[in-house]
Amino acid sequence: MNPALQRSLNALQRDPKKSIDAARRGSVSELITLANFWQEIPNMVSLGVMDVFCTHLDERKAPSFPNVPRVEDANLAFMSLLGLSKLTDYPDDDRSLGDLVLRTWPGIYKWGYYFFQIRIVKQDVPDDVRRQTLDVISGGWCVASREPRVRQAMLGTPGLLDIAVQLWVHEDGGPVPSLSNIPLGSALLDALLSKVDERTLTKVVKAAGGKAPNVAKMALSRLRSAIRASPMDPARTQILADLINELSYQQDHRLRYALLSEGVIGTVTQALVAVSKEVTGSRDPAFLDAMLSLFGYLKNCLESTEGFTWVSQALNAGLITAFVDCSPTYAMLSQEDREMILSIFSNLLPRYMIYYSVIAAAEAPILKVDSSEDMKKRIRNSVAKDVWSTLRDLVLERRAISVRFSETKKNQGVACDNVKCHKIDFKNNFKKCTGCQVTLYCSKECLVTAWKEGDHKTVCKLKQQERQEGKLEPLSKRDRQFLHYLSMHDARQHLPHLREEAKSKFPSVPLSSLIISIDYTGVPSTFTVQSLENYSSPPTSGSQNAEARHDSLVERVQKNPGSGTLVEARISGGREDAMVATLAAGDVWNLDRGSMTLGDADLQYEEGGEDDLALLIRKGAY
């Protein structure tokens, strides 16, 4: 510290009131000292230090760019903006400080705009001056935004959002690093985007250059840098995660899609893993805040689009081990925050343990916890122990089913698509329809019968249309097949209950005229029956072609009672549920547990009968 500044600091410490009065009168040296050190002196706010800063930021002294103010006024305003940026918070029991900043906001904005134009936008500004100006404007505006009334005024200020975006874009730019531990540009933009609408997000993209992927890459790059830093700064991590939350707020906006495409789920989960390694042993409460922000993002965005893709990504990135490592802290949280976290593992994840890929992603971390005495003790002693136990048992149960599914597929036969035949044999012994190149028949005679007397003439055209349209299916073939396998497996396991349901609801209807309905969208899953005679397809938002195929499948069963059993499964498919319809040849109702092997039972509905594996698409995701 230079001698003059040291003398000024000594004077401030001896007589704060005298230094404040001198700074108010326009002493640049006193104001420099006040702006840099006022927060180190007790009771400075009550002595009127903020009134000094707001006096020099008065709108009447601010220039209208490109007009140039007096040099002295500009220096006083810049140091006052610096002094304002060091305000940590507004007193809860005193509205006067908020009133003061609200009255001064027009001048705070105009001075910030002026400094932005002459010290950031101009090309010949020294790097250290540009860096200091970025921090001072971002910090001053960020402090102003903490007062709700001021933030509302800021949102109504024309041009403010554009500059805030630019401050964020330049936050890490240039060779001179920021002296602040807080990413001030990110904090400011986060405050301005709280629960923002689509129009505002579009303005953000435009102000940042017009390309949503570039905005997504920048936001994620900064979060990745934060979690790689040693030591990790939890406050920085939280702010960066909070901003990503705001950028993802509108589920249909291109920014959310861009973030998903750039790997936001994996990055956020990795950040959570990094926090989980510190949160239980650190005394810094900022780790808890960062943990909540990251879990909150996953709670809000895991079920974007089709859902299962993002759930798998989070599991592969370490979500389960992070949950276990963080578990000792859950008792410290508010009930609302605790329930938010636990609901991911008690409700969200279980609903997706019907996809082969999701189950496979969950198995390894479950086994990792089982093999670690420390991790098992940690979760057993936490408020999450029951949630963990239920999830663990479900994953291991579904994994066992998926293993049997894989083993069964190796030697599994297929069924002839002629409802009057349904011969079961190996796929190589069947012939494909030359039209759709999908449906299989054991003989030419069965193909002709299905064309003339069945529904294949209609379905064949629908399948050809789908192939010509180049329809995309993000759901893998293996996931799709496993959904049918699981539906039939669970239907068979619950036959006693389903027979009781049938006897109670439809006592006079033959079992062969009932549909088995499974709802996997609740926890636990539920099983019931419907009458095939009065059945009508539920409303969907899928393609007309997919709905037509589903209707054709139902009509086929209705016209050929006893030819097979229709099993419907409602599944979680991201933003909307989906329905999977599986038609099993033969009498499923009499496949009692233990009466035949699972593989034998499944011979009746493997891939050869594609018509029998119809998917009702509710949102175009499958």
Side-chain angles (χ1 to χ4, degrees):
M1 184 182 300
N2 66 59
L5 187 58
Q6 183 63 60
R7 287 194 297 271
S8 186
L9 175 57
N10 293 338
L12 174 62
Q13 293 170 332
R14 286 194 305 270
D15 191 348
K17 185 69 169 61
K18 183 177 180 181
S19 295
I20 288 175
D21 290 341
R24 181 181 285 108
R25 291 193 300 269
S27 170
V28 175
S29 61
E30 294 288 357
L31 188 58
I32 290 174
T33 306
L34 208 60
N36 281 285
F37 301 110
W38 73 265
Q39 74 280 9
E40 299 178 13
I41 311 297
N43 305 317
M44 290 295 282
V45 172
S46 61
L47 289 174
V49 67
M50 285 296 136
D51 180 68
V52 173
F53 298 145
C54 289
T55 295
H56 296 303
L57 288 168
D58 190 283
E59 181 182 14
R60 290 168 295 183
K61 298 180 181 180
S64 297
F65 186 83
N67 295 332
V68 179
R70 291 193 315 145
V71 173
E72 183 179 4
D73 287 342
N75 289 336
L76 292 170
F78 189 79
M79 297 312 301
S80 294
L81 198 55
L82 171 62
L84 176 63
S85 72
K86 297 180 182 296
L87 178 65
T88 55
D89 213 342
Y90 294 84
D92 293 332
D93 56 350
D94 186 359
R95 287 172 58 92
S96 60
L97 182 56
D99 292 339
L100 175 63
V101 176
L102 180 61
R103 290 195 302 271
T104 314
W105 166 247
I108 295 172
Y109 171 70
K110 286 187 176 181
W111 276 113
Y113 177 81
Y114 172 76
F115 293 129
F116 177 80
Q117 295 296 335
I118 66 166
R119 297 187 180 182
I120 297 176
V121 174
K122 285 183 65 176
Q123 299 299 311
D124 57 347
V125 177
D127 291 329
D128 59 338
V129 173
R130 178 176 281 107
R131 175 74 268 168
Q132 184 186 37
T133 305
L134 281 167
D135 287 348
V136 167
I137 299 175
S138 299
W141 287 4
C142 189
V143 164
S145 71
R146 292 176 189 160
E147 217 290 339
R149 294 172 296 157
V150 180
R151 182 167 62 250
Q152 195 62 38
M154 294 172 73
L155 292 171
T157 302
L160 181 279
L161 183 61
D162 290 344
I163 298 180
V165 171
Q166 285 301 305
L167 292 171
W168 173 70
V169 168
H170 288 91
E171 182 174 80
D172 292 335
V176 180
S178 172
L179 295 178
S180 173
N181 293 327
I182 300 299
L184 296 170
S186 295
L188 171 62
L189 192 57
D190 172 49
L192 296 177
L193 297 183
S194 179
K195 296 183 179 180
V196 72
D197 56 25
E198 290 190 21
R199 182 180 177 184
T200 303
L201 282 180
T202 299
K203 288 182 178 179
V204 170
V205 173
K206 183 178 180 181
K211 295 183 179 180
N214 290 346
V215 176
K217 288 176 182 177
M218 187 179 300
L220 294 177
S221 174
R222 290 173 180 176
L223 181 57
R224 291 176 186 130
S225 296
I227 62 179
R228 287 195 299 264
S230 181
M232 180 182 182
D233 186 335
R236 172 177 289 271
T237 301
Q238 180 205 348
I239 290 170
L240 296 174
D242 283 346
L243 177 57
I244 291 174
N245 262 301
E246 301 300 349
L247 296 176
S248 303
Y249 185 74
Q250 291 294 332
Q251 60 184 4
D252 284 324
H253 197 274
R254 53 181 168 150
L255 255 180
R256 179 183 284 203
Y257 295 137
L259 284 160
L260 290 170
S261 297
E262 295 297 331
V264 64
I265 296 298
T267 299
V268 167
T269 308
Q270 289 165 5
L272 182 59
V273 170
V275 168
S276 72
K277 295 176 181 178
E278 306 287 344
V279 68
T280 57
S282 174
R283 296 182 179 180
D284 188 346
F287 277 108
L288 275 179
D289 294 335
M291 180 189 76
L292 286 172
S293 181
L294 294 163
F295 268 127
Y297 186 88
L298 296 176
K299 170 69 174 176
N300 293 334
C301 295
L302 273 179
E303 293 195 272
S304 300
T305 61
E306 75 278 356
F308 59 86
T309 296
W310 318 120
V311 172
S312 293
Q313 284 189 10
L315 291 170
N316 285 321
L319 177 58
I320 285 179
T321 53
F323 171 69
V324 173
D325 284 339
C326 291
S327 60
T329 69
Y330 301 154
M332 303 163 55
L333 305 176
S334 68
Q335 182 177 349
E336 181 181 2
D337 289 336
R338 183 167 58 250
E339 289 179 353
M340 179 273 292
I341 295 174
L342 294 182
S343 69
I344 298 174
F345 300 87
S346 64
N347 182 277
L348 194 156
L349 290 187
R351 289 188 284 106
Y352 285 85
M353 291 301 161
I354 55 174
Y355 296 95
Y356 187 92
S357 57
V358 174
I359 297 167
E363 180 192 23
I366 292 286
L367 296 179
K368 178 182 178 181
V369 175
D370 279 355
S371 65
S372 169
E373 290 300 322
D374 180 63
M375 296 182 79
K376 285 194 294 185
K377 181 179 179 181
R378 185 173 298 182
I379 192 70
R380 280 199 307 262
N381 292 335
S382 77
V383 297
K385 62 180 180 180
D386 292 337
V387 170
W388 167 255
S389 178
T390 302
L391 176 65
R392 174 192 176 278
D393 292 348
L394 176 64
V395 171
L396 295 180
E397 174 192 332
R398 293 280 169 81
R399 185 54 179 162
I401 296 173
S402 71
V403 169
R404 292 199 293 271
F405 160 72
S406 297
E407 293 173 348
T408 301
K409 278 179 58 61
K410 295 176 182 178
N411 298 306
Q412 198 170 56
V414 298
C416 175
D417 198 63
N418 179 12
V419 295
K420 296 184 177 182
C421 174
H422 275 164
K423 176 183 177 180
I424 299 172
D425 203 343
F426 292 106
K427 184 176 180 180
N428 291 340
N429 295 329
F430 285 78
K431 299 181 183 299
K432 285 183 180 179
C433 168
T434 57
C436 65
Q437 294 293 313
V438 173
T439 309
L440 300 178
Y441 297 96
C442 65
S443 66
K444 183 177 180 180
E445 289 75 19
C446 278
L447 188 155
V448 173
T449 300
W451 188 270
K452 291 182 177 180
E453 302 179 26
D455 63 346
H456 189 62
K457 183 176 182 179
T458 300
V459 173
C460 186
K461 293 179 180 179
L462 294 172
K463 290 182 177 181
Q464 291 181 59
Q465 180 181 339
E466 286 186 358
R467 190 168 66 247
Q468 291 169 359
E469 291 173 350
K471 181 187 172 190
L472 298 176
E473 276 193 284
L475 185 66
S476 72
K477 182 178 180 180
R478 196 172 192 84
D479 271 326
R480 181 161 45 88
Q481 291 172 337
F482 180 71
L483 283 169
H484 296 291
Y485 182 95
L486 179 65
S487 298
M488 296 307 300
H489 170 276
D490 285 355
R492 180 173 170 236
Q493 297 293 99
H494 289 80
L495 277 178
H497 166 74
L498 291 168
R499 290 195 188 103
E500 289 297 321
E501 283 276 305
K503 183 178 179 180
S504 172
K505 295 181 178 179
F506 306 102
S508 60
V509 178
L511 293 177
S512 60
S513 297
L514 297 178
I515 295 175
I516 297 175
S517 296
I518 307 173
D519 188 351
Y520 288 116
T521 64
V523 179
S525 305
T526 56
F527 298 78
T528 188
V529 294
Q530 298 183 63
S531 170
L532 182 60
E533 180 182 359
N534 300 321
Y535 175 84
S536 59
S537 298
T540 76
S541 57
S543 70
Q544 293 181 352
N545 200 50
E547 293 179 22
R549 284 189 60 185
H550 177 267
D551 292 341
S552 176
L553 175 64
V554 174
E555 184 180 358
R556 171 179 168 179
V557 181
Q558 290 173 331
K559 288 182 177 179
N560 298 276
S563 64
T565 303
L566 187 65
V567 179
E568 274 193 348
R570 185 180 295 275
I571 64 173
S572 293
R575 288 173 53 190
E576 298 182 35
D577 297 339
M579 192 79 78
V580 175
T582 306
L583 176 59
D587 187 3
V588 172
W589 287 98
N590 289 315
L591 297 180
D592 287 321
R593 295 178 63 179
S595 65
M596 64 167 56
T597 67
L598 194 58
D600 291 335
D602 289 340
L603 287 175
Q604 303 174 61
Y605 49 88
E606 198 13 58
E607 61 181 299
E610 278 292 329
D611 290 338
D612 297 347
L613 305 182
L615 290 176
L616 171 58
I617 303 170
R618 297 185 66 82
K619 56 183 283 297
Y622 303 117

